[in-house]
Amino acid sequence: MTLSSRLLRLDLKHTWTISRASVDYHDNIFVYLEHDGITGIGEASFSRRYGESLESLQKVIESAKPMLSHANPLHFAEIGETVQQLRPGQNSAKAALDLALMDWVGKKFDLPLFRLWGLNPAKTPVSSFTIGIDTPEIMQRKIREAEEFPILKIKLGTAHDEEIMRAVCEATGKPLRVDANEGWKSKEEALEKICWLEQFNIEFVEQPMPAGRLDDVRWLRQQLQQRRVNLPLFADEDSKTPRDLPTLAGVYDGINIKLMKSGGLHEAWRMIHLARTLGLKIMLGCMIESSVAITAAAHLAPLVDYADLDGHLLINNDPFVGVRMQNGKMTLPETPGLGVRER
Ligand code: MG
């Protein structure tokens, strides 16, 4: 197989702000795996939160070339394992390679991935749409722009949480999901914020505190139970790869799986089945991604409880077309592989 890559800048419709950072664009790397006249495409959206940069991703992609040049893509399960072993971390680069490999496989077998996996495309959950942190006026405009989506995800975790929730509730009565992105710094602050959030129409709260503090999350959950506050807690930054899951069971209620954290479709698949075994609810989320990576995740969506696959809708120059979304409901492409094409 021949591997090549190119960088594309994805421009955000609005400045994207969450509790830890603010950006106007995101540079993603697209990889192409060619063999036998078939080309598979994959995408990497790096995250500084997980120690990644464009340079570190490019190194991993470069390091995969010798192995891939000799590999038989029909042995894709074996190659998937080898890709995970390339070096520690840098999972978005591994995801790009895994996506390209599986796109190639689907095209070779002439089947869309969800068909290859035996999944029912009617079973995809409705996706939420995320409203990034902004001034109350702009957040209200974003909520109006997201009119077709029946569920919204609100980013909290700053000193402006109350102002934000006031602005949101003035603009909409839709069910909400809250993502603190590790922004509440102590278990007491998280408890106070979640008890206050109970008055709103909220489905669950994602990553209330910095990752790695499972004892604090356990304490938080007990306190919430004692106060009869029934807001489920979901892990995101605490839930990167399958290895993280055994310690999260019984601490969190659910997890957010992202291809860029897990290292691709193979690892996300493993996480989905492990989470089911451990009794954890499953959400499929994303980073700032084009239709390539979003569509890849959408092929797994029939297996999960919740979807938050809006990364491609946050940009105004998506170079690709793939999964279609109407009122948050996803229609999976019937063309082989990922089923994406350049615009
Ligand atoms: Mg999150």
Side-chain angles (χ1 to χ4, degrees):
M1 284 182 285
T2 316
L3 177 64
S4 58
S5 64
R6 70 169 166 157
L7 191 144
L8 291 172
R9 175 159 294 181
L10 306 179
D11 295 317
L12 287 150
K13 288 179 184 165
H14 294 279
T15 300
W16 176 249
T17 302
I18 63 168
S19 68
R20 60 176 162 261
S22 199
V23 292
D24 288 307
Y25 62 85
H26 207 274
D27 288 330
N28 286 11
I29 299 178
F30 293 82
V31 304
Y32 299 85
L33 258 184
E34 198 278 324
H35 181 72
D36 231 358
I38 297 172
T39 302
I41 184 172
E43 176 180 10
S45 176
F46 74 95
S47 170
R48 296 196 196 286
R49 167 66 182 77
Y50 301 116
E52 298 174 340
S53 65
L54 278 177
E55 298 69 36
S56 68
L57 258 53
Q58 255 140 0
K59 271 189 203 152
V60 176
I61 292 165
E62 223 27 63
S63 74
K65 283 183 177 171
M67 180 272 287
L68 291 170
S69 71
H70 297 109
N72 177 351
L74 292 178
H75 302 163
F76 56 90
E78 191 179 271
I79 301 171
E81 292 288 328
T82 312
V83 163
Q84 296 309 318
Q85 260 111 87
L86 283 171
R87 63 172 64 195
Q90 306 301 320
N91 287 352
S92 62
K94 296 172 186 173
L97 297 170
D98 189 61
L99 265 54
L101 178 65
M102 293 313 294
D103 187 33
W104 189 96
V105 169
K107 285 171 174 164
K108 178 74 178 171
F109 293 153
D110 202 24
L111 283 174
L113 289 183
F114 74 88
R115 296 234 176 266
L116 197 68
W117 294 329
L119 304 180
N120 178 352
K123 290 272 174 78
T124 57
V126 168
S127 175
S128 52
F129 184 85
T130 306
I131 308 292
I133 296 172
D134 223 308
T135 63
E137 295 72 34
I138 296 180
M139 288 191 69
Q140 290 183 336
R141 175 151 39 103
K142 289 179 183 176
I143 289 171
R144 285 194 296 276
E145 287 170 10
E147 199 189 345
E148 67 164 292
F149 287 87
I151 308 161
L152 300 177
K153 181 158 139 180
I154 308 298
K155 296 285 193 180
L156 295 182
T158 71
H160 306 289
D161 289 349
E162 296 195 18
E163 193 187 341
I164 288 170
M165 285 307 293
R166 213 175 309 126
V168 168
C169 292
E170 254 175 48
T172 185
K174 288 174 185 173
L176 305 173
R177 297 168 184 170
V178 162
D179 188 357
N181 279 112
E182 311 178 287
W184 299 324
K185 297 303 176 200
S186 68
K187 58 184 198 271
E188 291 80 11
E189 184 188 3
L191 178 63
E192 191 189 318
K193 286 288 172 73
I194 295 171
C195 288
W196 162 73
L197 283 170
E198 210 212 359
Q199 64 186 296
F200 305 104
N201 183 12
I202 291 171
E203 285 186 330
F204 53 77
V205 176
E206 204 178 307
Q207 199 65 43
M209 288 176 287
R213 298 196 198 162
L214 296 187
D215 285 342
D216 287 350
V217 181
R218 203 174 280 116
W219 177 89
L220 175 63
R221 204 151 166 259
Q222 278 166 1
Q223 294 293 318
L224 291 170
Q225 274 164 4
Q226 279 173 20
R227 291 166 164 77
R228 300 188 196 289
V229 174
N230 291 316
L231 270 179
L233 303 179
F234 273 55
D236 181 0
E237 286 83 347
D238 258 326
S239 152
K240 297 185 291 294
T241 72
R243 275 188 299 280
D244 296 321
L245 299 199
T247 54
L248 303 183
V251 179
Y252 280 102
D253 301 284
I255 58 162
N256 185 348
I257 298 177
K258 296 177 182 170
L259 298 179
M260 298 298 144
K261 288 187 298 177
S262 70
L265 292 160
H266 279 100
E267 294 300 288
W269 176 274
R270 196 173 281 187
M271 286 179 85
I272 288 169
H273 292 289
L274 188 51
R276 282 272 172 259
T277 307
L278 294 168
L280 288 159
K281 289 279 184 193
I282 305 162
M283 170 159 66
L284 205 45
C286 62
M287 305 290 191
I288 295 160
E289 299 165 4
S290 80
S291 281
V292 170
I294 294 293
T295 305
H299 281 279
L300 289 172
L303 290 169
V304 306
D305 306 299
Y306 305 97
D308 180 37
L309 295 175
D310 61 352
H312 62 316
L313 304 173
L314 302 172
I315 55 177
N316 59 25
N317 62 339
D318 187 350
F320 298 91
V321 185
V323 62
R324 279 184 298 125
M325 225 180 254
Q326 204 171 21
N327 303 325
K329 184 71 189 164
M330 291 176 268
T331 306
L332 299 179
E334 286 285 355
T335 42
L338 296 179
V340 296
R341 59 171 174 82
E342 281 205 44
R343 223 173 253 283

Short mmCIF file of all heavy atoms in Angstrom, two decimals, residues 153 155 179-181 206-207 236-237 256 258 283 308, ligand 1:
data_model
loop_
_atom_site.label_atom_id
_atom_site.label_comp_id
_atom_site.label_asym_id
_atom_site.label_seq_id
_atom_site.Cartn_x
_atom_site.Cartn_y
_atom_site.Cartn_z
N LYS A 153 -26.01 20.73 22.99
CA LYS A 153 -24.98 20.51 24.01
C LYS A 153 -24.39 21.87 24.35
O LYS A 153 -23.98 22.61 23.46
CB LYS A 153 -23.92 19.55 23.47
CG LYS A 153 -22.81 19.23 24.46
CD LYS A 153 -22.14 17.92 24.08
CE LYS A 153 -20.65 18.00 24.26
NZ LYS A 153 -19.98 16.73 23.88
N LYS A 155 -21.58 24.13 26.42
CA LYS A 155 -20.26 24.09 27.05
C LYS A 155 -20.26 25.02 28.27
O LYS A 155 -20.55 26.21 28.16
CB LYS A 155 -19.20 24.57 26.05
CG LYS A 155 -19.05 23.66 24.83
CD LYS A 155 -18.31 22.38 25.19
CE LYS A 155 -17.87 21.61 23.96
NZ LYS A 155 -17.15 20.38 24.31
N ASP A 179 -21.49 20.09 28.99
CA ASP A 179 -20.11 19.61 28.99
C ASP A 179 -19.22 20.63 29.69
O ASP A 179 -19.03 21.74 29.19
CB ASP A 179 -19.63 19.41 27.54
CG ASP A 179 -18.27 18.73 27.47
OD1 ASP A 179 -17.68 18.47 28.54
OD2 ASP A 179 -17.81 18.45 26.35
N ALA A 180 -18.69 20.25 30.85
CA ALA A 180 -17.82 21.18 31.61
C ALA A 180 -16.37 21.10 31.14
O ALA A 180 -15.56 21.93 31.57
CB ALA A 180 -17.92 20.88 33.10
N ASN A 181 -16.03 20.13 30.31
CA ASN A 181 -14.65 20.01 29.80
C ASN A 181 -13.60 20.18 30.91
O ASN A 181 -12.66 20.97 30.76
CB ASN A 181 -14.38 21.05 28.69
CG ASN A 181 -14.92 20.61 27.34
OD1 ASN A 181 -15.87 21.21 26.85
ND2 ASN A 181 -14.37 19.55 26.76
N GLU A 206 -21.19 16.14 31.27
CA GLU A 206 -19.98 15.50 30.77
C GLU A 206 -18.74 16.09 31.45
O GLU A 206 -18.60 17.31 31.57
CB GLU A 206 -19.93 15.78 29.26
CG GLU A 206 -19.13 14.82 28.45
CD GLU A 206 -19.22 15.20 26.97
OE1 GLU A 206 -20.33 15.37 26.43
OE2 GLU A 206 -18.15 15.35 26.37
N GLN A 207 -17.84 15.22 31.85
CA GLN A 207 -16.52 15.54 32.40
C GLN A 207 -16.53 16.77 33.33
O GLN A 207 -15.96 17.82 33.00
CB GLN A 207 -15.51 15.75 31.27
CG GLN A 207 -14.05 15.63 31.75
CD GLN A 207 -13.68 14.24 32.23
OE1 GLN A 207 -14.02 13.23 31.65
NE2 GLN A 207 -12.98 14.17 33.35
N ASP A 236 -15.46 12.06 29.43
CA ASP A 236 -14.93 12.31 28.09
C ASP A 236 -13.39 12.29 28.17
O ASP A 236 -12.76 11.32 27.76
CB ASP A 236 -15.46 13.64 27.53
CG ASP A 236 -14.93 13.93 26.14
OD1 ASP A 236 -14.16 13.11 25.60
OD2 ASP A 236 -15.27 14.98 25.56
N GLU A 237 -12.80 13.32 28.77
CA GLU A 237 -11.34 13.34 28.90
C GLU A 237 -10.84 12.16 29.73
O GLU A 237 -9.67 11.77 29.62
CB GLU A 237 -10.89 14.68 29.49
CG GLU A 237 -10.96 15.87 28.52
CD GLU A 237 -12.35 16.52 28.41
OE1 GLU A 237 -13.33 15.91 28.90
OE2 GLU A 237 -12.46 17.62 27.82
N ASN A 256 -17.97 9.08 26.64
CA ASN A 256 -17.98 9.69 25.32
C ASN A 256 -16.81 9.09 24.53
O ASN A 256 -15.66 9.24 24.92
CB ASN A 256 -17.82 11.21 25.46
CG ASN A 256 -17.93 11.94 24.13
OD1 ASN A 256 -17.92 11.32 23.05
ND2 ASN A 256 -18.03 13.25 24.20
N LYS A 258 -14.62 8.93 21.12
CA LYS A 258 -14.28 9.69 19.90
C LYS A 258 -13.19 8.94 19.14
O LYS A 258 -12.24 8.45 19.76
CB LYS A 258 -13.74 11.08 20.28
CG LYS A 258 -14.75 11.96 20.98
CD LYS A 258 -14.13 13.28 21.39
CE LYS A 258 -15.16 14.12 22.15
NZ LYS A 258 -14.55 15.31 22.76
N MET A 283 -21.91 7.41 24.40
CA MET A 283 -22.13 8.50 23.46
C MET A 283 -20.97 8.48 22.47
O MET A 283 -19.84 8.15 22.82
CB MET A 283 -22.14 9.85 24.18
CG MET A 283 -22.11 11.02 23.22
SD MET A 283 -22.71 12.56 23.92
CE MET A 283 -21.48 12.87 25.14
N ASP A 308 -23.13 12.82 19.29
CA ASP A 308 -22.80 14.25 19.26
C ASP A 308 -21.81 14.42 18.11
O ASP A 308 -20.62 14.61 18.32
CB ASP A 308 -22.19 14.66 20.61
CG ASP A 308 -21.84 16.14 20.63
OD1 ASP A 308 -22.59 16.93 20.06
OD2 ASP A 308 -20.79 16.49 21.22
MG MG B 1 -16.58 16.66 25.97
#
